[in-house]
């Protein structure tokens, strides 16, 4: 083989020198192509399975009866080195007419013509950017031709598989079956959550109220949560997030479902053994409802910058088109907010004389907002403890994790969006490698213990 390649390379380089300078790119791509062809031929040989021996001519079927060997059947397989062919035994159950390819299960080729290596690549490019772009990346980076639909289907299928596994973990977490994970000391563990609109196809938003009265919503709210740890503060006393400690979960789902999802994640990250626990969020009521429900032993903090925004938007109403006046008005009250003197802030808001009943109503609403969140706004106390008072991590997370789904011209089904969110969270949390390992282990388990596997599937 090596000699053949050397010969090929020699021919191409010589061809280059006679006709002018060597076009290295053309040569390297041609070499890759021929390497691929040679590799695919080797893989095809490897994927030729023999008919079963006399003692393996029948297998247990999921219906309880037996499937019998029928014949060898072949299918094309796109591998990391191009198109190969897989020939493997086919079994059929006469009782329920269910066919089986045990080899497909073992080598993770069940119901697909894409090899595990190729599917992994498709998952990576599919979670990163538009599927069309993924197709182009596959062509350029891997020398593989796939359809845009294949990128989409594969990324979504893997995302859905990740989600199925997460739901199983979540069930166990809710039934308190999960052991407290062991690990190094966790001085401070943070949980942050936020929501943002994802553009969806019409059928997913029909009948839902939009942001403007009477307008149909073209988005659905995706909720994102993150968990990270903090061990130290810097020289100036500001908190420092532990490097690579952030993990994400998210989905378009109800507050209750999301609360359970985030709880399970926090639990796996060591919530039960963290020395200090903090929940950070903006003022949205659902966040604090879920925090009370699942993270009742945490210090709750309203994002300071979000709270300041409330003052700015009120100032804009009080002094429309007068920005110096807005600034003066905010400065006085911002100090109270920053100093955690929320009672004084509320009193000062309530003493404002409004020129208009609508503005009076706005003032009342804002006063209530600060009043209700006062314990979550004791910023000097939080700072003294070296804690974060801004939820910048989750805001950045919304951009990184969910920005992929918000590019213009994209409209999602809830199912498709959730699959990509699951895949992207897995990838950005550094868990994809673990997922892929677990998946391989499961393939081997399915083959070694088919009866047990089907019993488990039945329980889910
Ligand atoms: Zn059967």
């Amino acid at each position: 083989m090596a000699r053949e390649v050397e010969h090929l390379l020699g021919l191409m380089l010589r061809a280059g020198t006679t006709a002018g300078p060597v076009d290295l790119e053309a040569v390297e791509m041609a070499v890759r192509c021929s390497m691929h062809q040679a590799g695919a031929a080797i893989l095809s040989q490897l994927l030729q399975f023999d008919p079963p021996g006399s003692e393996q001519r029948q297998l247990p079927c999921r219906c309880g009866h037996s499937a019998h060997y029928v014949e060898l059947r072949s299918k094309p397989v796109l591998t990391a080195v191009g198109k190969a062919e897989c020939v493997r035994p086919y079994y059929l159950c006469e009782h329920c007419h269910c066919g089986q390819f045990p080899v497909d299960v073992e080598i993770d080729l069940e119901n697909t013509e894409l090899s595990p290596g190729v599917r992994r690549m498709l998952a990576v490019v599919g979670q990163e950017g538009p599927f069309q772009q993924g197709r182009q990346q596959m062509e350029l980076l891997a020398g593989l031709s796939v359809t845009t639909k294949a990128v989409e289907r594969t990324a979504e299928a893997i995302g859905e598989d990740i989600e199925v596994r997460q739901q199983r973990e979540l069930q166990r977490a809710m039934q308190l079956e999960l052991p407290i994970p062991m690990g190094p000391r966790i001085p401070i563990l943070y949980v942050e959550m936020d929501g943002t609109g994802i553009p969806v196809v019409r059928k997913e938003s029909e009948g839902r109220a939009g942001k403007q009265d009477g307008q149909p919503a073209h988005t659905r709210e995706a909720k994102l949560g993150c968990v990270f740890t903090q061990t130290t503060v810097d020289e100036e006393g500001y908190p420092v997030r532990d490097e690579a400690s952030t993990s994400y979960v998210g989905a378009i789902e109800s507050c209750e479902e999301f609360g359970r999802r985030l709880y399970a994640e926090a639990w796996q990250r060591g919530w039960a053994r963290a020395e200090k626990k903090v929940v950070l969020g903006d003022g949205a009521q659902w966040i604090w409802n879920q925090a009370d429900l699942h993270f009742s032993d945490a210090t709750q903090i309203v994002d300071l910058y979000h709270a300041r925004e409330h003052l700015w938007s009120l100032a804009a109403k009080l002094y429309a088109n007068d920005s110096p006046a807005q600034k003066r008005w905010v400065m006085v009250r911002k100090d109270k907010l920053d100093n955690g003197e929320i009672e004084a802030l509320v009193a000062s808001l309530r003493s404002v004389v409004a020129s208009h009943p609508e503005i009076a109503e706005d003032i009342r609403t804002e006063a209530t907002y600060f009043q209700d969140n006062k314990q979550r706004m004791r910023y000097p106390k939080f700072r003294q403890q070296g804690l974060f008072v801004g939820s910048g991590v989750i805001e950045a997370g919304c951009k990184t994790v969910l920005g992929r789904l918000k590019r213009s011209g994209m409209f999602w089904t809830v199912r498709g969006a959730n699959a990509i969110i699951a895949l992207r969270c897995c990838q950005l949390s550094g868990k994809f490698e673990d997922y892929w390992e677990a998946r391989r282990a499961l393939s081997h388990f399915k083959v070694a213990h088919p009866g047990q596997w089907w019993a488990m599937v039945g329980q889910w």
Side-chain angles (χ1 to χ4, degrees), residues 1 84 104 127 135 188 205 242 260 372 381 384-385 441:
M1 181 66 63
D104 288 7
Q127 61 85 32
R135 186 190 66 74
I188 311 172
S205 59
D242 292 337
R260 288 194 287 272
D372 289 349
K381 188 178 89 180
Q384 227 168 31
Q385 299 172 48

Side-chain angles (χ1 to χ4, degrees), residues 59-67 92-100:
L59 290 173
C61 176
R62 62 191 310 168
C63 75
H65 292 76
S66 292
L92 183 69
C93 170
E94 306 252 299
H95 188 78
C96 71
H97 305 288
C98 232
Q100 282 191 52

